[in-house]
């Protein structure tokens, strides 16, 4: 699956008082910045605020102050408050009307697929057996632990005996449990031509107040994300016209270059 390519602390989760989640995420981000600087790099964010924004300047400053304080071994510069001119000088196409100024803070951007590959190689070096394109189709209890039936890429079924199992199935977790472990949701991104961003933007939708990102990515602009709940075909995800229109509409609400 495609992601926002971010290693971030989850600034918006402070709004719902999920301090432990934010602290853990920030510390993991800082660990990656220290130990994988070739894959995880600093990314500056601007947060423009408008009269319609659900966050007011004092609330944003308070949240970013907590964001700076709550982490251990801080790796990135602290936040700064910005004037309207500072915002629009950096992002000339950003609409000035009703803008109240904003703030700057740092998170990180990552090559997520390469990070996963390196973790797998490290595990293999420590003795792990890596079987790509293999599917666990059945798990049975045994006197010594578990017996797993694994469907291999060549169509053969192999039995793997183990003392313990860790399920890291993400969105597929509910298929392996008699109780619902995750609430299925879909977050969609679109990729636009380069919009000449030197920083990433965190914006609040005029339509519903949701936070969305505009992020420079390999000469393009990554925009996301939606957040839809329901049952989805995870093996073949599809983007709907409704989601595309939602994201494009949000971009147009802040774009002064038409």
């Amino acid at each position: 699956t495609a992601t926002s390519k971010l290693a971030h602390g989850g600034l918006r989760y402070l709004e719902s008082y999920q301090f432990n989640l934010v602290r853990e995420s920030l510390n993991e981000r800082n660990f990656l910045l220290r130990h994988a600087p070739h894959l995880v790099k600093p990314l500056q964010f601007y947060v423009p605020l408008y009269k319609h924004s659900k966050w007011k300047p004092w609330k944003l400053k308070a949240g970013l102050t907590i964001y700076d304080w709550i982490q251990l071994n801080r790796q990135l510069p602290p936040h700064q408050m910005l004037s309207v001119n500072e915002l629009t000088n950096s992002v000339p196409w950003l609409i000035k009307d009703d803008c109240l100024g904003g703030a700057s803070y740092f998170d990180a951007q990552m090559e997520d697929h390469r990070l996963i590959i390196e973790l797998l190689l490290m595990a293999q070096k420590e003795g792990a057996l890596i079987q790509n394109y293999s599917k666990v189709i059945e798990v049975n209890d045994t006197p010594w632990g578990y017996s797993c039936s694994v469907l291999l890429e060549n169509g053969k079924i192999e039995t793997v005996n183990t003392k313990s199992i860790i399920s890291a199935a993400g969105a597929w977790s509910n298929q392996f449990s008699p109780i619902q472990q995750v609430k299925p949701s879909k977050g969609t991104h679109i990729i636009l031509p380069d919009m000449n961003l030197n920083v990433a933007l965190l914006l609040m939708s005029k339509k519903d107040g949701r936070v969305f990102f505009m992020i420079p990515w390999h000469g393009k602009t990554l925009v996301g994300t939606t957040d839809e709940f329901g049952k989805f075909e995870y093996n073949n995800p599809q983007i709907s016209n409704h989601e595309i229109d939602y994201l494009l509409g949000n971009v147009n609400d802040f774009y002064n270059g038409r």
Side-chain angles (χ1 to χ4, degrees):
T1 56
T3 73
S4 300
K5 311 297 181 185
L6 295 176
H8 66 104
L11 175 64
R12 63 192 178 100
Y13 296 116
L14 289 177
E15 191 175 23
S16 53
Y17 307 111
Q18 299 184 62
F19 299 112
N20 288 335
L21 172 64
V22 174
R23 181 187 294 109
E24 180 182 9
S25 299
L26 283 169
N27 291 337
E28 289 294 329
R29 182 205 70 185
N30 290 344
F31 177 88
L32 291 173
L33 283 165
R34 290 197 307 274
H35 295 281
H38 57 302
L39 299 178
V40 183
K41 301 182 183 302
L43 178 65
Q44 187 174 18
F45 277 85
Y46 279 2
V47 189
L49 295 180
Y50 293 81
K51 289 182 179 178
H52 75 268
S53 301
K54 62 178 179 179
W55 297 347
K56 304 307 175 187
W58 68 266
K59 189 173 184 179
L60 177 60
K61 181 172 180 59
L64 288 173
T65 299
I66 294 172
Y67 207 64
D68 289 338
W69 286 350
I70 203 172
Q71 56 190 288
L72 300 174
N73 300 313
R74 192 172 73 198
Q75 301 294 303
L76 300 172
H79 79 277
Q80 291 183 324
M81 301 306 291
L82 301 173
S83 67
V84 175
N85 286 337
E86 286 174 313
L87 286 169
T88 54
N89 286 341
S90 181
V91 188
W93 51 257
L94 193 66
I95 283 181
K96 270 190 173 183
D97 296 346
D98 295 329
C99 185
L100 304 175
S104 162
Y105 76 98
F106 280 81
D107 260 321
Q109 194 169 46
M110 64 177 175
E111 297 276 3
D112 52 349
H113 61 289
R114 287 185 56 197
L115 188 64
I116 291 171
I117 290 171
E118 289 204 12
L119 287 171
L120 290 172
L121 291 173
M122 291 169 63
Q124 188 177 50
K125 187 177 180 181
E126 296 297 322
L129 172 65
I130 308 297
Q131 290 191 185
N132 208 4
Y133 302 107
S134 301
K135 182 179 181 180
V136 177
I137 56 177
E138 188 176 18
V139 177
N140 293 307
D141 293 329
T142 66
W144 58 85
Y146 302 93
S147 175
C148 304
S149 297
V150 181
L151 178 63
L152 304 180
E153 186 180 9
N154 60 12
K156 295 182 178 180
I157 296 178
E158 180 181 272
T159 299
V160 177
N161 296 317
T162 180
K163 292 182 179 179
S164 60
I165 295 174
I166 298 173
S167 173
W172 290 266
S173 297
N174 292 343
Q175 299 177 26
F176 299 94
S177 172
I179 60 173
Q180 189 175 38
Q181 294 183 318
V182 297
K183 185 177 182 180
S185 66
K186 181 175 69 168
T188 293
H189 303 79
I190 57 174
I191 298 177
L192 301 180
D194 183 14
M195 296 183 68
N196 195 30
L197 285 174
N198 297 316
V199 297
L201 296 177
L202 186 154
L203 297 158
M204 276 153 273
S205 169
K206 288 185 178 181
K207 297 173 177 60
D208 55 16
R210 288 193 68 252
V211 167
F212 71 98
F213 300 112
M214 297 183 67
I215 303 169
W217 180 252
H218 291 296
K220 304 289 184 180
T221 302
L222 181 67
V223 181
T225 171
T226 61
D227 193 14
E228 296 196 347
F229 294 92
K231 293 184 178 180
F232 306 104
E233 179 50 60
Y234 291 111
N235 294 327
N236 185 30
Q238 300 291 325
I239 182 172
S240 67
N241 289 332
H242 167 73
E243 291 172 292
I244 295 173
D245 291 342
Y246 172 80
L247 292 173
L248 287 177
N250 281 329
V251 172
N252 286 332
D253 283 341
F254 294 93
Y255 185 66
N256 194 29
R258 291 167 290 179

